[in-house]
Every structure is written in C-alpha cells, then in structure tokens.
Amino acid sequence: MRPTVHDIAERAGVSLATVDRVLNDRPGVRGVTRAKVEGAIAELGYVRDVAAANLAKSRVYPLAFILPEGDNPFMRGLEDEVRRAGVHSMVERTQLSVVTVPAFDGRALAREIDGAIERAVAGIAAVAVDAPEVLAAIGRAREAGIPFVTLVSDLANSGRDHFIGVDNIAAGRTAGSLMGRFLGERPGPVAVLAGSMRVRDHGERLEGFLAAMSAMPVSRAILPVLEGQDDPELSFGLIAKCLADVPDLAGIYSLGAGNRGLVKALAAAGAARNLCVIAHEVTDETRAALEGGLVDAVLNQDAGHEVRSAIRVLRAKADGLPVIAAQERIRLEIFIKDNLPSEPGADDTPGAAGN
C-alpha cells in the first residue's frame, strides 16, 4: 500500500497543512520541522503524484523554443509542429513560445537564450550552434535552474539536460554505406553539400559519412565540403559549379538543408550525369526528386516526435522526474522511391527503415 500524506504527518508528528507546505515548497515552516517531514518522506518512500500536485497549484509551464530562421523546410516544419502543439498545450498547462534567429548565428542564439532566462521560463529547447557565446548562455540557463534541451544539433559538452534528435554520426555512416553500395565499382569522386560546419549535426554527419566511405572496397576521393548556408541560391551555385568542374563526379551527399538548390542544379544538369545522390529530410523538394529519379535516398527524422519529446523532457526535468529514454529516442528513417511516406515525417509507413 502506497504511503499517503496522512502517514507522513503521523510519522513526523505535524499537521497535514505543514506536510502540504513542505511538499509544495511554501514558506512558514521552521527548519527543524521541515527536516522532520523530509525525513518521514524518505523513511516511508513516499512518491508524489507531481501532475496532481501541479494541477492543484494551477502550475503552468512556459516553454521556449528557439529555431533558426530562413529557407530551411525542415526547420519550418519543426516550427509548425511547435505551433500546432501550442494550440492544445493549455489543456496540459503548458505555454509554448517559438522565436527564430538567423541560422548559424551564435550571438543571436545566445541573446534569445538570455531573453528566455529573463522571462523565467520553465524550460528552453534550441537548435544549437557550436559557438562560445552559446555555450556560455546554456551555462547561464543551468545556473538559473532552467532545464535546457538541444534539438536536432547537439552540444554535448554544454551541460544541456538532454539531446533530442537522431544519432547524427550514425546518420552519416548510413549515408556513406548507402553511397558506397549504390556506386559499387563505379569510379569518380563524391561531393558533400553542407549548411555550415559550425553546427554539430553537420560535422557529425560528415564524420560518419567519411568513416563509412573509407571502409568501402572501392577507394574514392571525397571533395572539400561545400557550405551553402542552407540557402537555395548559394547551394544551387555551388553544386552547378561542381558539376561543371568535375565531369567524372559520381555522387553527392547533401547533409544539410540546401536541397532546393541541389535539386534545381541536378534538374538543370539533366539525367545524363547519372549521379548517386543522398539527402536528408523528406520535403516537397526531396519527395519530388525521389519520384523523378534525381535523388536516390533520403534520410528522415520526425519533426513532430521531436517537438513532443522536447515538451515531455522539459516538463519532466522541471518536475525533477526521470526521462524515459526509450520513449524519447528519435528514429532515423530511410526512404527510397518505393517506400515514400504519404506525408512528410509519417512514422507509420510500411517499409520505412529505422536506425
């Protein structure tokens, strides 16, 4: 039988009102009395029903999401998922806010983190940029007692509470393994299109990709990384120039969100190039490119799952409750033309491979 507040009161020799004050961290309890109540709680193994307690206190959880702005379809999908979750969030006493900052701008991200700290939010979720300003800002959030989770791109050495996203090294290895198998013995180098190497997820994907490619039976050159800043026009120009300068190019790995420019350049080059192309995230552009034969495979993560996971983790951290790791694991899905989902990010599509 589970112990109750009545058992605590009896064991500590205090009133129910005093137990309630201690459990809800209210003032008006002497130190010695608080110690007695806390000792009784420990002896009895009492576990609070946190949800019920917060409901009784009418606690509301303001959670701040900070995402990169710009022409990144996946990030815009992530933003849509936050806003969609916000419509129903008050039922669970959660208030969601979302702000955007210039992509790959560490100073702008740090300013928004500091702004969330000043607003005394209950938790912060952000797409991290590997910059000293961001590391310092996350440290200030932790000092203020505000849980912090990184989304999509991690900063493991920042002291953040949790990372929500796919294993990006494994994603890169998967892309490299697919590229090597698709190309077989065909000669020629491979190009890599990234957004910016200042974000950890792009660096980790590249690390995994290079490791997998180096283990392939056929040795091939990997060209210097093209950084398109996730800008479609810049990415188009970089890929178009690469196609013109490297006539024996065998493949392209797009590890960021420059796929609109990539697809435009591939379409302009025509089917005669017969490249192996692997990209990330199922969007309108990558779906059409898969269907049209311009892209061979797309690695995908579910934006809706990531937003829901961030909300659950931040609330659990705010309440001092454990995070259920298995529930928060984000799958890496592999799509080719034959198993495309009916909608971007669908997680119940037969034939989708998970990593």
Side-chain angles (χ1 to χ4, degrees), residues 15-327:
S15 67
L16 287 173
T18 298
V19 173
D20 179 74
R21 289 191 188 95
V22 173
L23 288 173
N24 292 296
D25 198 26
R26 296 190 182 112
V29 182
R30 293 185 303 160
V32 64
T33 304
R34 184 178 294 275
K36 287 181 180 179
V37 174
E38 291 173 346
I41 290 170
E43 291 171 10
L44 293 168
Y46 175 78
V47 178
R48 298 183 67 196
D49 184 340
V50 177
N54 285 336
L55 184 63
K57 292 188 292 182
S58 297
R59 180 178 183 182
V60 175
Y61 300 78
L63 306 179
F65 283 77
I66 309 174
L67 309 176
E69 62 188 35
D71 192 271
N72 181 328
F74 179 76
M75 290 302 167
R76 300 290 66 79
L78 203 63
E79 182 178 354
D80 290 343
E81 291 292 345
V82 175
R83 297 191 188 283
R84 187 174 295 114
V87 173
H88 307 288
S89 63
M90 283 308 297
V91 175
E92 299 179 350
R93 298 188 178 276
T94 303
Q95 289 180 336
L96 304 183
S97 63
V98 57
V99 296
T100 60
V101 297
F104 316 122
D105 188 332
R107 290 184 179 179
L109 176 56
R111 284 196 298 270
E112 286 298 337
I113 293 171
D114 286 334
I117 295 170
E118 291 177 4
R119 298 194 303 273
V121 298
I124 302 170
V127 177
V129 176
D130 194 355
E133 302 93 337
V134 176
L135 288 169
I138 293 175
R140 290 190 288 274
R142 302 289 292 122
E143 290 171 3
I146 298 174
F148 195 104
V149 302
T150 50
L151 277 172
V152 183
S153 184
D154 194 17
L155 278 180
N157 60 340
S158 65
R160 52 79 173 140
D161 290 277
H162 197 83
F163 168 60
I164 296 168
V166 298
D167 181 335
N168 283 298
I169 293 179
R173 285 201 307 267
T174 302
S177 180
L178 290 171
M179 180 72 74
R181 284 166 169 76
F182 287 170
L183 288 177
E185 296 184 359
R186 175 185 171 182
V190 171
V192 176
L193 176 64
S196 169
M197 300 312 293
R198 290 193 67 191
V199 287
R200 191 70 59 87
D201 60 325
H202 290 196
E204 290 177 346
R205 289 175 186 177
L206 178 63
E207 176 185 343
F209 181 76
L210 294 176
M213 290 297 290
S214 68
M216 289 293 143
V218 176
S219 177
R220 68 181 69 249
I222 308 299
L223 300 178
V225 176
L226 304 172
E227 295 190 53
Q229 304 299 315
D230 288 345
D231 177 87
E233 289 306 314
L234 178 56
S235 298
F236 168 75
L238 290 171
I239 293 298
K241 185 176 187 303
C242 181
L243 292 171
D245 293 346
V246 189
D248 63 337
L249 188 70
I252 300 174
Y253 174 37
S254 176
L255 56 78
N259 293 321
R260 184 173 298 172
L262 167 69
V263 171
K264 181 180 176 182
L266 292 173
R273 293 306 297 263
N274 190 29
L275 300 168
C276 175
V277 180
I278 297 173
H280 279 262
E281 317 312 344
V282 176
T283 64
D284 291 343
E285 288 77 21
T286 55
R287 183 189 291 103
L290 273 172
E291 292 171 341
L294 292 175
V295 170
D296 294 273
V298 174
L299 309 183
N300 189 65
Q301 55 189 317
D302 188 334
H305 185 184
E306 289 174 333
V307 169
R308 294 188 296 273
S309 178
I311 294 169
R312 285 192 298 265
V313 170
L314 288 174
R315 285 194 53 158
K317 292 294 182 180
D319 285 329
L321 297 176
V323 173
I324 304 172
Q327 184 181 20

